[in-house]
Amino acid sequence: MRATMASPDLYARLTAEIVASGDATVEVPTPSTGETLHLLPQSSAADVLDATARARIAQLAWARAGFAERRRILLRAHDLVLERRELLLDLIQLESGKTRGQAFEEVFQAASVTRYNALSAKRALRGGARRGGIPTVLTASVRYKPKGVAGVITPWNYALSLAAMDVVPALAAGCAVVQKADDQGALSILALRRAFIDAGVPEALWAVVTGPAAEVGEAVTDVADYICFTGSTATGRKVAEKAGRRLVGASLELGGKNALLVLDDAEPIDAARGAAHAAFSAMGQLCVSVERLYVDRKVAGAFQRELVKRLQGAALGSDLEFGPDFGSLTSAAQLARVQSNLDDALAKGATVLVGGKARPDLGPWFFEPTVLTGVTPDMSVYADETFGAIASLYLVDGDAEAIVAANQSQYGLNASIFSGSLRHASRVADALDAGSVNINEGYRGSFSAVAAPMGGVKQSGVGRRNGHEGLLRFVEPVTVSRATGLIALPRTGTEYRTLVPVMVLVSKSLKAIRRA
């Protein structure tokens, strides 16, 4: 393993930028050894109020700076993210335990999101003329006004990329951001923020706070003009309730129990290799990763053999280089969660097809990628999100059975289909209840498509990030109408009596020429 570019001095410089007025700190471990990586300052509710007040002031100038200036700064930030990628990769790995290749997905995503929003914000948010209610008599135009301060609450699992996917469009739209970072991902976020500050983003415009969700997270949702939350469905419901009481908008990306369908015309070797990555990238600690495998019985034998071979031969490790195929779980709590779900399933009759053991010889929270068969509805792993190194495999007879099984979930975030026919796969995709569907890929197709909206249905969330939809979250549309004076609008009963026949004729004429 090569020496890391990160150091205690760097950790101290980065964490000094957290808005935290007190002396409280927490120890943050690294999954590679379980030892303390650094001490992280903890913010308070008062710190959130202070950060928000300063962000509001900074936002006024940032909004007035205009699209061209924001574009220039964000494109410079894009370049700095790529220039500093080795440091960012080190920090992601040290905090999350994922492999370097999977860490690079985060850096690539952050750069892509930044470039897209820098170049697309003006086109998406420039507004313009709309047809008035009475053509030539009334005009209408729409402009978009930044909402103010966005409150962004991000989890530990994909700290850098998920931060970028909410923070950057907010900045591009002219908003400020107060971000509540999870303790386990704060260094990655702070290093990303530093690249943006060095590119020209005012320091107060993007504030980072840390600390207990019950105090600091609540404070963010109490004051933000718009709320972005990524996390569990249970917590997302609470965020939605508060946003509803305050009458502010919110986008929520929540849990998933994502299904992968292997159709009868799939190439089973390729499908098995795709399934292995889709289920166990970041050790399954990804909202869009796969936990349910529905395999047509006609190709199941070859698929299972290749899946077992692939996972048994995979290299596990936490090296800071492009070597291991799979990394570590991120925390002791994650290891306990995976082991609990496995124990419950085995006690109730499930069978381990491959994996099934912790690997303390590699590190404190390593766990073999595990695939179960014989999973039944009375097992916790059947319907509940594991968010860890376990996937369940089911044999099905035909598309209809696979579709019904895939849709029998309270979640609907992501789905995957492997097939030898694009037409066949597309028909099945149309029948799936999911916010995104990937064909012959697990999640990276939709996840990397930053110009396309991403989000869930059912209990997997509301709202969308990415694409124009992701930018429109952060603005309020304002309609400005003007009376041209060509014809005076009626104000008295007599005037209405005179103009009603004219207005009826106008309405019929507009329909005749297909004008909306």
Side-chain angles (χ1 to χ4, degrees):
M1 180 190 295
R2 66 163 181 79
T4 176
M5 296 181 66
S7 69
D9 287 343
L10 173 68
Y11 306 153
R13 290 198 303 273
L14 289 175
T15 57
E17 299 184 10
I18 295 171
V19 181
S21 56
D23 297 327
T25 61
V26 295
E27 295 182 358
V28 178
T30 177
S32 60
T33 64
E35 297 173 351
T36 298
L37 181 63
H38 68 104
L39 297 178
L40 183 71
Q42 298 286 277
S43 308
S44 66
D47 293 323
V48 173
L49 295 178
D50 178 60
T52 303
R54 287 187 281 121
R56 289 196 187 285
I57 296 171
Q59 187 268 333
L60 297 175
W62 181 251
R64 286 196 298 268
F67 288 113
E69 177 64 3
R70 295 198 292 269
R71 169 177 157 164
R72 181 190 68 80
I73 291 172
L74 293 178
L75 288 178
R76 175 58 181 152
H78 166 274
D79 294 344
L80 290 178
V81 168
L82 294 178
E83 289 174 15
R84 300 176 185 182
R85 65 185 181 278
E86 294 299 323
L87 172 61
L88 292 172
L89 291 173
D90 285 354
L91 293 175
I92 292 169
Q93 286 194 267
L94 289 168
E95 288 188 302
S96 71
K98 64 184 59 169
T99 68
R100 203 161 191 80
Q102 290 150 18
F104 180 74
E105 289 184 8
E106 291 210 57
V107 175
F108 182 81
Q109 184 79 352
S112 298
V113 164
T114 303
R115 184 178 65 256
Y116 171 81
N117 285 285
L119 297 174
S120 301
K122 182 177 180 179
R123 182 167 65 253
L125 305 178
R126 63 187 169 192
R130 305 287 177 90
R131 189 182 68 76
I134 310 174
T136 74
V137 177
L138 296 171
T139 69
S141 64
V142 174
R143 63 180 175 85
Y144 291 104
K145 179 181 178 181
K147 288 185 175 178
V149 177
V152 175
I153 302 174
T154 48
W156 48 266
N157 61 317
Y158 270 66
L160 187 135
S161 55
L162 292 175
M165 291 163 76
D166 285 334
V167 171
V168 177
L171 297 178
C175 289
V177 172
V178 174
Q179 181 181 6
K180 196 276 184 189
D182 189 277
D183 294 348
Q184 196 66 39
L187 286 177
S188 301
I189 289 169
L190 290 164
L192 178 69
R193 174 185 176 272
R194 175 42 56 186
F196 279 73
I197 303 307
D198 290 346
V201 170
E203 293 212 26
L205 192 73
W206 179 359
V208 175
V209 293
T210 56
E215 178 182 0
V216 178
E218 287 287 328
V220 170
T221 58
D222 280 338
V223 297
D225 302 310
Y226 186 86
I227 302 167
C228 304
F229 174 80
T230 305
S232 71
T233 297
T235 303
R237 289 194 188 99
K238 296 177 182 178
V239 173
E241 289 171 2
K242 176 170 285 191
R245 290 194 300 270
R246 294 186 56 227
L247 297 179
V248 300
S251 59
L252 313 170
E253 187 184 297
L254 309 177
K257 190 72 175 176
N258 306 304
L260 184 148
L261 284 63
V262 181
L263 307 185
D264 61 4
D265 59 357
E267 203 293 309
I269 306 301
D270 181 66
R273 293 172 179 175
H277 182 273
F280 301 111
S281 181
M283 291 312 295
Q285 300 169 126
L286 172 61
C287 54
V288 291
S289 65
V290 167
E291 294 197 15
R292 296 180 291 151
L293 308 173
Y294 296 103
V295 184
D296 194 283
R297 201 178 299 273
K298 294 178 181 177
V299 295
F303 176 88
Q304 289 188 187
R305 287 191 295 272
E306 180 63 25
L307 182 63
V308 170
K309 176 183 174 182
R310 189 79 169 181
L311 294 177
Q312 285 181 337
L316 277 62
S318 56
D319 295 357
L320 299 181
E321 55 192 20
F322 293 99
D325 302 309
F326 300 113
S328 171
L329 294 168
T330 301
S331 67
Q334 281 297 102
L335 177 63
R337 179 188 183 118
V338 168
Q339 189 66 61
S340 175
N341 278 357
L342 177 62
D343 292 345
D344 174 75
L346 296 180
K348 295 174 181 175
T351 301
V352 172
L353 181 66
V354 63
K357 297 192 296 291
R359 292 294 302 274
D361 55 309
L362 300 175
W365 305 318
F366 274 85
F367 201 92
E368 293 176 345
T370 300
V371 178
L372 300 178
T373 60
V375 172
T376 54
D378 59 326
M379 302 173 187
S380 58
V381 75
Y382 179 84
D384 297 339
E385 183 181 31
T386 301
F387 208 70
I390 299 178
S392 304
L393 188 148
Y394 307 87
L395 302 186
V396 294
D397 293 301
D399 295 352
E401 184 177 341
I403 292 166
V404 169
N407 288 342
Q408 282 181 339
S409 172
Q410 64 177 322
Y411 299 109
L413 187 57
N414 180 49
S416 312
I417 300 168
F418 278 79
S419 170
S421 165
L422 177 59
R423 179 177 295 180
H424 184 188
S426 297
R427 287 200 307 268
V428 173
D430 289 342
L432 295 178
D433 297 333
S436 60
V437 181
N438 289 265
I439 295 175
N440 293 332
E441 170 52 38
Y443 64 84
R444 289 177 296 186
S446 58
F447 190 76
S448 65
V450 297
M454 175 187 172
V457 299
K458 297 191 282 190
Q459 297 301 304
S460 288
V462 295
R464 294 293 184 268
R465 50 161 58 110
N466 291 345
H468 284 193
E469 294 84 351
L471 280 159
L472 288 166
R473 293 179 293 170
F474 299 105
V475 293
E476 291 288 0
V478 178
T479 298
V480 179
S481 179
R482 179 176 66 88
T484 65
L486 182 64
I487 298 176
L489 295 178
R491 294 182 175 87
T492 68
T494 301
E495 291 171 345
Y496 271 106
R497 183 184 305 114
T498 302
L499 284 179
V500 162
V502 176
M503 301 310 299
V504 171
L505 178 61
V506 167
S507 184
K508 290 182 177 180
S509 299
L510 290 174
K511 178 195 172 187
I513 63 174
R514 296 296 190 262
R515 285 283 302 275

